[in-house]
Amino acid sequence: MQTVIDNAKPFSFSFDPQSTALIVIDMQRDFVLKGGFGEALGNNVEPMSAIIPNLQKLLECCRKHNMLIIHTREGHRADLSDCPKAKLTRGNKTFIGEMGPMGRILVRGEYGHDFIDELRPKEGEIVLDKPGKDAFYATDLELILQNKGIKSLIVCGVTTEVCVQTTCRAANDRGYELVVPSDCTASYFKEFYQTTLDMITAQGAIIGWVCTSNDLIKALED
Ligand code: TIU
């Protein structure tokens, strides 16, 4: 059955919850907490925490509606063999693979690489480890979505202009309709946050739609 978010931008967004997946991008300690990769890149990580309660509410609603839920984690093998030099050399204080207060930065299995306590996946939800910014790149995401009959995506998480936007563009190219709940994504840069959302909806939803989590939840509950 179609669900409609009337107030979505740039116009109403319609989706069937049974063929829609919620993708929560990279809500890991390394991006959200002090001492992680986000801070090592020189950022103030505070805006990341503000979206946690909104994400919790949205997750609960999607769980209630038996929707497919996917949690992604950006990170690398301990030997860094899946991390290109172009990524390994980015940073300013602590680089990927180096030891930080939460373990080796963005390395799988380390404390900092894992999800924040507030947004841990529930049993049966999919955890997708990805080496890049695009959740489709070098992962089995497309295969999973195809096997589950998914046609639409709700994309949230961090950061708006990096992993969220990159995944939205990749999803759009693959034929998925997508909506980004604006209060369930965050950036270290206020201006990038808004510009990214504008870029997604511009030109008649060139990449996808944007709504509020309240409007999305209300549409699902009605
Ligand atoms: N630096 C930054 O804004 N983001 C990332 O490096 N990864 C994600 O967005 N997950």
Side-chain angles (χ1 to χ4, degrees):
M1 213 178 73
Q2 288 299 112
T3 296
V4 182
I5 309 169
D6 290 320
N7 291 333
K9 281 186 189 148
F11 49 87
S12 69
F13 179 74
S14 174
F15 66 103
D16 177 352
Q18 292 320 301
S19 60
T20 301
L22 172 69
I23 305 190
V24 185
I25 307 262
D26 302 356
M27 289 303 290
Q28 300 160 250
R29 298 184 181 111
D30 261 332
F31 292 109
V32 178
L33 303 183
K34 287 188 174 181
F37 186 52
E39 194 177 60
L41 288 168
N43 300 307
N44 168 20
V45 296
E46 265 162 36
M48 304 291 109
S49 311
I51 64 169
I52 297 172
N54 304 333
L55 270 167
Q56 285 175 316
K57 272 189 238 157
L58 182 60
L59 262 164
E60 273 323 303
C61 178
C62 292
R63 281 170 180 147
K64 210 171 89 185
H65 287 83
N66 295 315
M67 291 168 63
L68 181 70
I69 296 170
I70 299 172
H71 306 257
T72 73
R73 280 187 305 209
E74 181 176 350
H76 298 278
R77 294 169 179 263
D79 64 5
L80 303 179
S81 55
D82 59 350
C83 187
K85 199 168 156 238
K87 187 174 183 186
L88 208 47
T89 51
R90 297 298 184 275
N92 58 25
K93 262 195 320 218
T94 316
F95 295 83
I96 293 172
E98 288 182 3
M99 191 55 82
M102 294 189 290
R104 291 179 66 205
I105 297 279
L106 279 200
V107 169
R108 293 177 190 161
E110 298 288 336
Y111 182 78
H113 169 265
D114 207 357
F115 301 109
I116 55 170
D117 293 337
E118 297 89 334
L119 292 170
R120 298 203 69 75
K122 285 244 158 85
E123 213 188 310
E125 295 175 356
I126 290 170
V127 172
L128 190 92
D129 281 310
K130 63 183 184 62
K133 297 165 179 77
D134 164 8
F136 290 90
Y137 174 69
T139 72
D140 51 8
L141 177 59
E142 191 163 20
L143 185 61
I144 293 168
L145 297 179
Q146 278 173 10
N147 286 339
K148 298 280 185 186
I150 298 298
K151 308 225 175 310
S152 308
L153 305 173
I154 300 165
V155 188
C156 36
V158 297
T159 62
T160 316
E161 78 280 13
V162 182
C163 291
V164 171
Q165 173 168 222
T166 307
T167 299
C168 287
R169 288 171 182 270
N172 174 257
D173 277 344
R174 286 169 171 79
Y176 295 98
E177 308 276 22
L178 64 97
V179 64
V180 179
S182 57
D183 52 350
C184 291
T185 181
S187 167
Y188 302 118
F189 303 86
K190 220 171 160 181
E191 63 277 24
F192 290 173
Y193 164 82
Q194 192 53 53
T195 302
T196 300
L197 297 181
D198 292 345
M199 286 162 76
I200 287 170
T201 60
Q203 305 179 72
I206 190 85
I207 305 295
W209 283 256
V210 169
C211 67
T212 65
S213 62
N214 270 346
D215 284 341
L216 178 46
I217 290 168
K218 194 170 164 291
L220 279 165
E221 300 294 321
D222 280 352

